[in-house]
Amino acid sequence: MIKELTEDDFAKGVKNPFFDKIMTKTEIALRNEDYETFCEVGKMNNVPAEMIMRNCLADWAEKFRNHD
């Protein structure tokens, strides 16, 4: 059985020192109805809306890279 992590566990965590080398933070504006859609999908999957958005963007980026 896998132990569920608590907020205390995350508070003890160390930030990834390579984050800035492999990731880029950005901010985008979404229409409220689009954001609500991501929130609904996130609730169905018990994850934050931002995770759904990030995964969608990553999937599209892969499609663009593999486009002939």
Side-chain angles (χ1 to χ4, degrees), residues 32-42 44 49 52:
N32 289 336
E33 66 182 291
D34 294 337
Y35 183 74
E36 288 301 320
T37 300
F38 287 112
C39 288
E40 290 173 20
V41 175
M44 290 189 296
I52 301 296

Side-chain angles (χ1 to χ4, degrees), residues 3-4 7 12 30-31 39 41 44-45 47 49 53 55:
K3 176 188 166 206
E4 186 171 329
E7 285 187 36
K12 297 174 190 172
L30 294 175
R31 291 186 357 221
C39 288
V41 175
M44 290 189 296
N45 292 283
V47 297
M53 289 183 254
N55 290 342

Side-chain angles (χ1 to χ4, degrees), residues 48-66:
E50 290 78 9
M51 183 178 286
I52 301 296
M53 289 183 254
R54 184 173 52 244
N55 290 342
C56 288
L57 286 169
D59 288 347
W60 274 101
E62 184 175 345
K63 288 178 184 183
F64 289 142
R65 283 191 298 272
N66 295 327

